[in-house]
Amino acid sequence: MRLTDNEIEAIAQKIVAKTPSSGRRPIVVGNWKMHKTPSEGEALVRELAALVETADCEIGVAPAYPCLGQVGRALGGSKISLCAQNAYWEKAGAFTGEVAIGMLTELGVSQVIIGHSERRQFFGETDETVNLRAKAVLEAGLVPILCVGESLQERDSGLTHAVVDRQVRGGLADLSGSQVAGMVLAYEPVWAIGTGKVATVEEAQEVHSVIRQLLAELHDAPTAGAVRIQYGGSVKPDNAAQLLAQPDIDGALVGGAALKATDFAAICMAAKAE
Ligand code: PGA
């Protein structure tokens, strides 16, 4: 029996419809870096909250430490969660310039970015210190957003997979499968951050799938399947939908475009739960 083109198409549609969805809810986080004063941050989230009311994803904003209180109060009742850009692993003590996780939880912070490439590049973060931070954030019951990614030189030397492998293994060292399953990872190629150069969807998806395979190797397939992996690096309203449609891209970590409510909202609206 020969099937007509229409019959083949109908069967193909059924197969696609039956493919189990990943069950991973997309998560889009705005990393404000060292931008916005407390009052500017408050104005930004007030505008943003109204724009993302119907977004079908998890949304967070990560203002600088001094803005967390005011921005957190302005977020009250909205669907946007409060994230910090870093946190120290000790609970208290003589650590001038550092911020303890307990100080963040009291302000309503629920996620903490750790190991951002700017921390690694300019502030001496290593896989070991990133791992200490990840453990402390998890112990406090918050969600770490662990950033990894290669530099341009590393990519040009064919080292992308090796670098990401080292950073994921190092950052997750000694963590249990259930701890890892609750984390968010962010793949951010350093050469794409703030440069306007975005990885192609194929390049991004490829590294995301390599990371997920590594998680399966380090733990197991259900753990790897549960971890949400964001893409970061020049995500904008005009490239977000394509990136977010990739099977292993579960959200975005957004820098520059997160500073404008309409741009960030457009990216959030492009992320859809399966
Ligand atoms: P960008 O920054 O969107 O401005 O490239 C992303 C990031 O550093 O998290």
Side-chain angles (χ1 to χ4, degrees), residues 149-221:
E150 81 288 0
S151 66
L152 184 57
Q153 204 191 358
E154 287 162 341
R155 173 162 283 259
D156 288 345
S157 316
L159 293 173
T160 300
H161 292 184
V163 169
V164 167
D165 187 280
R166 192 203 73 224
Q167 291 177 338
V168 172
R169 281 177 197 272
L172 301 182
D174 308 323
L175 296 179
S176 69
S178 63
Q179 285 179 310
V180 170
M183 288 179 65
V184 175
L185 263 55
Y187 169 58
E188 300 204 301
V190 179
W191 48 272
I193 294 179
T195 57
K197 281 187 203 149
V198 64
T200 64
V201 288
E202 293 80 14
E203 283 169 335
Q205 164 56 29
E206 198 229 330
V207 180
H208 280 240
S209 112
V210 164
I211 293 173
R212 207 175 298 286
Q213 280 161 31
L214 174 60
L215 294 172
E217 188 190 307
L218 292 173
H219 296 281
D220 51 32

Side-chain angles (χ1 to χ4, degrees), residues 62-191:
Y65 291 136
C67 306
L68 286 169
Q70 195 166 334
V71 168
R73 282 188 294 279
L75 286 177
S78 84
K79 65 192 294 177
I80 304 170
S81 62
L82 190 62
C83 312
Q85 295 178 18
N86 201 6
Y88 196 53
W89 56 85
E90 294 288 352
K91 290 195 170 65
F95 303 106
T96 303
E98 288 296 326
V99 168
I101 299 164
M103 299 168 182
L104 300 174
T105 43
E106 197 173 313
L107 293 172
V109 167
S110 48
Q111 292 124 339
V112 183
I113 299 172
I114 51 174
H116 189 279
S117 64
E118 286 148 19
R119 300 296 316 171
R120 295 177 191 258
Q121 223 178 320
F122 306 129
F123 302 99
E125 292 269 356
T126 63
D127 291 332
E128 288 71 34
T129 58
V130 169
N131 180 239
L132 287 168
R133 290 178 207 273
K135 285 180 186 157
V137 170
L138 284 163
E139 251 167 51
L142 306 191
V143 176
I145 301 177
L146 168 66
C147 304
V148 299
E150 81 288 0
S151 66
L152 184 57
Q153 204 191 358
E154 287 162 341
R155 173 162 283 259
D156 288 345
S157 316
L159 293 173
T160 300
H161 292 184
V163 169
V164 167
D165 187 280
R166 192 203 73 224
Q167 291 177 338
V168 172
R169 281 177 197 272
L172 301 182
D174 308 323
L175 296 179
S176 69
S178 63
Q179 285 179 310
V180 170
M183 288 179 65
V184 175
L185 263 55
Y187 169 58
E188 300 204 301
V190 179
W191 48 272

Side-chain angles (χ1 to χ4, degrees), residues 19-26 212 225-226 228 247-250 273-274:
T19 306
S21 73
S22 72
R24 296 186 294 269
R25 188 162 168 74
R212 207 175 298 286
R228 290 176 296 174
D248 287 298
I249 300 185
D250 311 310
E274 285 168 17

Side-chain angles (χ1 to χ4, degrees), residues 31 33 116-118 188 192-196 232-236 253-257:
N31 172 14
K33 309 192 180 187
H116 189 279
S117 64
E118 286 148 19
E188 300 204 301
I193 294 179
T195 57
S234 296
V235 177
K236 305 278 181 249
L253 186 54
V254 185

Side-chain angles (χ1 to χ4, degrees), residues 18 27 102 170 175 216:
K18 274 196 174 163
I27 173 166
L175 296 179

